[in-house]
Amino acid sequence: MPNINRHSVKTQEKHEFMKVLGLESSCDETGIAIFDTESGKISQRLYSQIERHREYGGVVPELASRDHVTKAAPMIQEILQEGGDIDTIDAIAYTRGPGLIGALMVGASIARGIAWALDKPVLGVHHMEGHLLAPMLAEEKPEFPFVALLVSGGHTMLVDVEAAGCYRILGESLDDAVGEAFDKTAKLLGLSYPGGPELAALADSVECSQFKFPRPMVNRPGLEFSFSGLKTAALNIIQQNNPLNESIRAEIAYAFQQAVVDTLRIKCTRALDHTGYTRLVVAGGVGANRGLREVLENMTEQRKGWVYFPAVEYCTDNGAMIAYAGAMRLEAGQKDEDVFDVLPRWSLEDLSAVQDSVP
Ligand code: KG4
Ligand code: ZN
């Protein structure tokens, strides 16, 4: 039986260089970018809907879709005014999944509309492949193979990346994603949504803590994660120490962040041992965390290996990573069939290989 989640790609001739317009709209960020594979130049625009969702304490899908509708087209016009005529665009890439169905449909409709009007190839990109390849936008690019740690608001996974498009999931979170655990614990500490960066800043304001959180699932073999227990541990500590003063809040944030970072370090070490790879790539919103970066830099240095992070602006959702991942496949001659669909649930393992990787 055919796997309906497979990339519906068909092959065309290969392209030497391309200028690709990328659209990201899987959640609460509208990201538009143009990536030129010849010069490596990126122009991008990003609109974050965080203020709109803040009062609800999380993303409201219907509001997210509506915001993408109003923001995406003017942003594309703006970026084209700066980055050249629409006729100079060779292809369009957009986020096909995973993500919020309505939000994905907006990006897909706009991308496919432009592609049909201009008679250009179009390709739907896997959001996590975009994150995973974001370090390729840096000057110093990781070579294949590598282990990828993907840590965002919706996903936590370790992936064996043998080559571009060849992904094997080594372990995932059984419950909350790391970013989600940051956001939920931040909420308990009275920080506003999404609390990850604010919790990190609070944690960085102290140098030690009287509290100790568990390191979930590190005493069992395997590469699965579980982070939901950390928010319960945080709740217990908060209830025992009520009313919280500023220094107690900071110490709780510090101990929570340490537990997360330590757990991720242990599992990344295990994944490197398991695969025998020397390179680790970290991507997704939580990849912006300074404490995590430092600890993983030390760990890989001790093993005489390497760790790669995207620039902080490319850790969280953005259009550049979608333009890049799309360009890689489009240059290799892939494009989508004329079928309109989005994939709110889509496994990385269902992607097809890209023979000629890295534009
Ligand atoms: O990748 P991303 O932008 O969106 C998803 O695809 O989910 O990740 C957003 C997540 C949020 O949970 C946010 O709180 C978290 O990344 N985040 C951080 C930091 N910056 C963003 N978590 C911890 N420390 C940070 N510095
Ligand atoms: Zn993301």
Side-chain angles (χ1 to χ4, degrees):
M1 210 169 83
N3 183 342
I4 54 151
N5 282 348
R6 275 207 186 275
H7 236 199
S8 65
V9 287
K10 63 181 181 191
T11 314
Q12 46 168 2
E13 82 267 24
K14 293 187 182 168
H15 300 266
E16 204 180 344
F17 297 116
M18 290 187 115
K19 213 165 150 184
V20 176
L21 174 67
L23 275 85
E24 154 62 29
S25 72
S26 64
C27 191
D28 58 348
E29 255 110 22
T30 315
I32 310 289
I34 297 174
F35 177 59
D36 183 335
T37 64
E38 184 174 17
S39 62
K41 190 171 170 280
I42 301 159
S43 24
Q44 70 153 341
R45 289 278 185 287
L46 188 69
Y47 171 74
S48 169
Q49 306 176 351
I50 280 173
E51 289 309 324
R52 178 164 301 257
H53 300 290
R54 190 160 272 155
E55 65 176 293
Y56 304 99
V59 177
V60 183
E62 180 58 26
L63 294 182
S65 313
R66 287 189 216 171
D67 238 8
H68 289 304
V69 169
T70 53
K71 296 295 181 319
M75 284 168 71
I76 293 171
Q77 270 173 335
E78 211 179 286
I79 205 168
L80 285 171
Q81 271 161 13
E82 174 192 288
D85 207 275
I86 192 147
D87 292 331
T88 66
I89 299 293
D90 299 303
I92 328 289
Y94 66 95
T95 307
R96 186 176 175 214
L100 302 172
I101 188 163
L104 291 168
M105 298 267 286
V106 176
S109 315
I110 295 173
R112 287 193 165 266
I114 297 173
W116 276 321
L118 299 178
D119 194 23
K120 303 280 183 189
V122 59
L123 189 123
V125 171
H126 192 293
H127 180 78
M128 300 312 286
E129 179 172 66
H131 274 304
L132 196 149
L133 297 175
M136 301 287 185
L137 292 165
E139 203 122 296
E140 206 187 324
K141 303 176 200 323
E143 277 175 33
F144 298 104
F146 55 76
V147 168
L149 171 70
L150 298 178
V151 273
S152 71
H155 295 87
T156 302
M157 52 172 99
L158 278 161
V159 187
D160 175 343
V161 181
E162 202 187 319
C166 302
Y167 309 125
R168 194 164 56 89
I169 296 170
L170 300 168
E172 285 183 272
S173 178
L174 303 176
D175 41 55
D176 290 354
V178 188
E180 198 180 350
F182 262 95
D183 296 342
K184 286 179 175 170
T185 304
K187 195 171 179 181
L188 293 173
L189 288 171
L191 302 171
S192 59
Y193 176 84
E198 280 187 53
L199 188 153
L202 192 59
D204 288 350
S205 69
V206 289
E207 277 169 12
C208 59
S209 173
Q210 59 182 297
F211 306 110
K212 176 117 174 122
F213 279 73
R215 272 63 175 153
M217 296 187 72
V218 295
N219 295 325
R220 299 192 217 169
L223 295 164
E224 307 293 340
F225 301 94
S226 165
F227 289 106
S228 67
L230 288 182
K231 100 195 148 226
T232 315
L235 184 63
N236 290 338
I237 294 176
I238 290 167
Q239 280 169 348
Q240 285 154 16
N241 290 275
N242 242 343
L244 299 183
N245 63 33
E246 199 49 25
S247 85
I248 296 274
R249 284 172 75 237
E251 284 190 47
I252 295 172
Y254 179 96
F256 167 84
Q257 180 170 289
Q258 253 212 340
V260 170
V261 168
D262 210 28
T263 305
L264 293 175
R265 175 188 59 77
I266 293 166
K267 295 289 164 104
C268 286
T269 309
R270 222 177 258 182
L272 290 170
D273 286 343
H274 174 80
T275 54
Y277 298 164
T278 51
R279 286 174 289 269
L280 175 68
V281 161
V282 183
V286 185
N289 188 278
R290 201 185 54 81
L292 179 66
R293 287 181 171 235
E294 263 175 35
V295 164
L296 294 181
E297 267 159 16
N298 287 339
M299 182 272 282
T300 45
E301 199 181 314
Q302 273 172 21
R303 297 171 61 96
K304 309 222 177 322
W306 295 270
V307 63
Y308 300 83
F309 301 94
V312 169
E313 62 176 323
Y314 299 139
C315 278
T316 42
D317 291 349
N318 65 87
M321 68 184 196
I322 301 303
Y324 179 89
M328 177 189 71
R329 291 182 176 278
L330 287 153
E331 255 194 1
Q334 297 185 3
K335 68 170 186 169
D336 278 348
E337 304 276 0
D338 286 341
V339 180
F340 182 94
D341 67 351
V342 292
L343 299 173
R345 299 172 76 81
W346 188 10
S347 171
L348 263 179
E349 291 185 346
D350 286 335
L351 298 189
S352 57
V354 186
Q355 281 86 21
D356 299 346
S357 25
V358 197

